[in-house]
């Protein structure tokens, strides 16, 4: 039960990190995060393994689609994140068992890797940050408009 709760907590934590990266830190996101944390912390665990495996597969599929939509090669980023997580060895351990960052820990340079993959990090004419990739790449713009080479 502890392992299941721990894994679900981590997936939820990353999901809310994605929401904040997409919509910013706002009250709705924070409230939803708190509500999900309460569900995970207080609800009895009863795993339906086929449904859990299906949900995990669906999450993998959707995340792969997200990377594809943004032209991101996830392999190098996964390696950076893995190395950063392994660098947490010796760091303090949170009450729920998650290893925390030790003093001097450095986060993975995801933005640097995205730049190596062709992202310039520029903004579109609407004033919102958007993803700029080499010509010919389709990306949904941060302003909500989907466009081929948004505001070239």
């Amino acid at each position: 039960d502890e392992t299941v709760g721990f894994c679900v907590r981590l997936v939820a934590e990353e999901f809310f990190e994605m929401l904040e990266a997409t919509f910013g830190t706002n009250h709705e996101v924070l409230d939803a995060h708190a509500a999900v944390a309460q569900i995970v912390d207080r609800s009895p665990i009863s795993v339906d393994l086929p449904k859990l495996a299906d949900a995990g597969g669906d999450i993998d599929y959707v995340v792969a689609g997200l990377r594809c939509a943004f032209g991101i090669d996830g392999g190098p980023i996964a390696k950076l994140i893995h190395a950063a997580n392994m660098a947490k060895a010796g760091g303090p351990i949170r009450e729920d068992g998650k290893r925390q960052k030790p003093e001097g820990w450095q986060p993975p340079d995801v933005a640097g890797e995205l730049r190596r993959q062709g992202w310039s990090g520029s903004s579109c004419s609407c004033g919102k940050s958007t993803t700029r990739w080499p010509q010919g790449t389709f990306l949904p713009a941060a302003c909500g408009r989907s466009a081929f080479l948004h505001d070239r």
Side-chain angles (χ1 to χ4, degrees):
D1 282 1
E2 288 179 29
T3 301
V4 173
F6 179 69
C7 290
V8 170
R9 251 185 243 96
L10 292 178
V11 169
E13 192 172 299
E14 297 308 322
F15 171 73
F16 283 102
E17 186 176 309
M18 182 185 66
L19 285 182
E20 289 179 17
T22 305
F23 303 111
T25 303
N26 60 53
H27 294 293
E28 290 86 1
V29 171
L30 295 174
D31 290 348
H33 193 172
V36 168
Q38 284 185 353
I39 291 168
V40 173
D41 291 341
R42 297 180 183 169
S43 298
I45 294 174
S46 176
V47 176
D48 179 327
L49 192 58
K51 284 184 178 181
L52 182 66
D54 179 64
D58 286 345
I59 289 169
D60 290 343
Y61 192 79
V62 170
V63 170
L66 177 130
R67 285 189 198 106
C68 185
F70 283 88
I72 297 169
D73 179 357
I77 293 171
K79 286 179 183 176
L80 288 172
I81 292 169
H82 176 71
N85 281 332
M86 294 301 100
K88 291 179 184 177
I93 298 175
R94 202 166 66 184
E95 184 179 299
D96 67 359
K98 182 179 179 186
R99 175 95 39 199
Q100 298 295 282
K101 302 161 187 147
E103 192 169 321
W105 179 86
Q106 293 294 314
D109 184 12
V110 174
E113 175 56 33
L114 289 174
R115 280 191 281 290
R116 282 187 284 285
Q117 293 183 25
W119 176 65
S120 69
S122 56
S123 296
C124 74
S125 62
C126 69
K128 294 186 180 180
S129 176
T130 189
T131 45
R132 287 267 187 202
W133 292 89
Q135 205 151 16
T137 304
F138 170 81
L139 295 173
C143 62
R145 294 180 289 181
S146 291
F148 181 77
L149 294 175
H150 178 66
D151 280 1
R152 299 186 227 208

